[in-house]
Amino acid sequence: MTETEEWFNVPGDFVSTLFDLSGRVAVVTGGGSGLGAACSIGFAQAGAEVVVADINMAGATETADIIADQGGTAHARTVDVTDKAAVEGLADWVVEELGSVDILLASAGKAYRSSVEDFPEEEFDSVIELNLKGVYLCGQAFGRKMLAQGKGSIINMASIGGFIAYPWASAYLASKGGVVQITRAMALEWRDRGVRVNAIGPTLIDSPLTRAVRVNSGSTVTSDFIEGRMLRHRLGLPQELIGAAIFLASDASDIVTGHTVMCDDGYVAV
């Protein structure tokens, strides 16, 4: 094959390793339950060594134990992603103990349901701090490590709420819109330095978080609004995000950065 034909060079084993995460270290915040737990297990099944980080150590340990039972390698660590020193300490530990950090999935988050006129200020601050500041601090701390390595993939957990609106979720919508823009900002600054930054935009997912929010708010106004507009009128499942997460973490997305991959069953498109 001549040099001018190099664009057509697809080796026979090209696809067999495209989604392989063997030899890579993945950190998942919010890995103790829901979407983070599912993606942690998925990363491990794809060959990664996984650091399951959560403010709830019991949940992180449970996820790590599932990975170990399946033959994978995982470490449970506690972290408050809104605490800059704690996040930087986790990033230092990962690189010092495991040698590198190749993948970060920032999925720690929360929601609170209330009308705009009655939304408590302290709850607004809490949602923004965890969902937006937490993503920023994690991207900043682990991004520095990846920049020093010259490579890495950061995946932020966004939402359909970063693109459209629904009732009783004003703080959540604001936080996820911010996640979309933070993702773009990081990707733009780091695109020529080996670090890719993308996001996943899920539909309403059946998870401990969404179940608890519905119960605690005493209202189904948000979920009823979203479910009534779903094409198949069913909630998504945490494991249905694993494919997108592995795609963004792997060489399969080598030229993808600054994007939010929607896993919304077409919700935003129609």
Side-chain angles (χ1 to χ4, degrees):
M1 182 172 292
T2 67
E3 185 176 346
T4 57
E5 295 174 321
E6 189 174 350
W7 61 271
F8 198 65
N9 183 20
V10 182
D13 62 347
F14 183 73
V15 173
S16 65
T17 60
L18 205 55
F19 299 93
D20 186 12
L21 301 181
S22 298
R24 303 186 193 187
V25 175
V27 176
V28 181
T29 67
S33 66
L35 312 184
C39 290
S40 295
I41 295 167
F43 285 154
Q45 290 184 5
E49 183 172 2
V50 182
V51 177
V52 183
D54 202 295
I55 197 168
N56 177 5
M57 188 60 176
T61 300
E62 182 177 2
T63 301
D65 287 346
I66 292 171
I67 290 172
D69 289 344
Q70 293 182 356
T73 302
H75 313 268
R77 302 291 295 182
T78 183
V79 68
D80 177 355
V81 298
T82 69
D83 182 333
K84 183 179 177 69
V87 172
E88 291 181 345
L90 176 64
D92 289 342
W93 180 88
V94 171
V95 173
E96 290 168 4
E97 295 297 321
L98 306 182
S100 68
V101 57
D102 305 289
I103 302 154
L104 167 68
L105 173 61
S107 68
K110 67 175 294 185
Y112 186 86
R113 302 294 186 231
S114 174
S115 64
V116 171
E117 65 268 27
D118 296 321
F119 212 102
E121 181 181 1
E122 64 274 14
E123 293 296 345
F124 184 91
D125 290 344
S126 179
V127 170
I128 296 297
E129 185 174 37
L130 179 56
N131 293 5
L132 187 56
K133 181 182 176 181
V135 165
Y136 190 84
L137 291 180
C138 289
Q140 187 179 57
F142 285 94
R144 290 193 192 105
K145 303 297 185 184
M146 293 178 180
L147 290 169
Q149 298 168 173
K151 63 182 179 69
S153 175
I154 294 174
I155 308 163
N156 297 323
M157 193 62 72
S159 167
I160 57 172
F163 297 89
I164 52 90
Y166 37 82
W168 282 44
S170 53
Y172 185 83
L173 299 176
S175 71
K176 293 303 182 178
V179 169
V180 171
Q181 285 296 81
I182 280 176
T183 298
R184 290 168 175 161
M186 290 178 173
L188 175 66
E189 293 192 22
W190 298 342
R191 63 180 179 173
D192 60 346
R193 300 169 68 187
V195 179
R196 298 184 296 106
V197 188
N198 293 286
I200 295 174
T203 184
L204 187 62
I205 301 292
D206 185 10
S207 70
L209 170 64
T210 55
R211 293 180 186 181
V213 168
R214 182 182 299 193
V215 171
N216 293 339
S217 69
S219 172
T220 62
V221 63
T222 304
S223 55
D224 289 347
F225 182 93
I226 297 173
E227 290 178 43
R229 287 159 178 78
M230 287 176 165
L231 295 178
R232 292 192 286 179
H233 301 288
R234 74 164 179 86
L235 301 187
L237 299 173
Q239 58 265 37
E240 292 179 310
L241 302 186
I242 293 175
I246 292 176
F247 166 70
L248 293 174
S250 71
D251 293 343
S253 60
D254 193 46
I255 61 170
V256 179
T257 193
H259 293 280
T260 299
V261 176
M262 303 306 295
C263 299
D264 65 346
D265 206 20
Y267 190 102
V268 173
V270 297

